[in-house]
Amino acid sequence: MQPLSDRSNPLITAFPAELASDAEAVLAVMPDSRLQPHASFSVAVEGQQVSIPGRLSNDEPPTARVVRLVRVFRPAVR
């Protein structure tokens, strides 16, 4: 699994700063990538620049880890 990261991780910088902890929670269940994200492009989201990866090369995370993640985020979605 990927280590928790800082704002230098390309998958963290794909989200506005206030969502960094959510992005880190998702990264924690994702298997390590075989390759670095490819061909990023910048966009503004509510006035913040974010860098969106054009392609990711991660395998699917194990189902059990995804289920735990859904339980954590489900209350926030309702």
Side-chain angles (χ1 to χ4, degrees):
M1 299 306 122
Q2 299 203 14
L4 291 182
S5 189
D6 58 49
R7 292 290 298 168
S8 66
N9 184 308
L11 297 179
I12 301 299
T13 62
F15 298 92
E18 63 269 12
L19 297 176
S21 63
D22 293 340
E24 287 177 345
V26 172
L27 273 177
V29 303
M30 290 177 64
D32 292 333
S33 178
R34 294 177 304 254
L35 303 169
Q36 289 294 317
H38 179 70
S40 296
F41 58 94
S42 293
V43 298
V45 176
E46 295 185 4
Q48 291 184 52
Q49 284 296 122
V50 297
S51 182
I52 308 297
R55 177 178 296 173
L56 299 174
S57 301
N58 296 71
D59 291 331
E60 292 289 324
T63 302
R65 289 184 180 264
V66 173
V67 168
R68 278 186 259 141
L69 188 63
V70 169
R71 288 184 186 140
V72 169
F73 285 105
R74 182 168 287 160
V77 175
R78 292 183 183 173

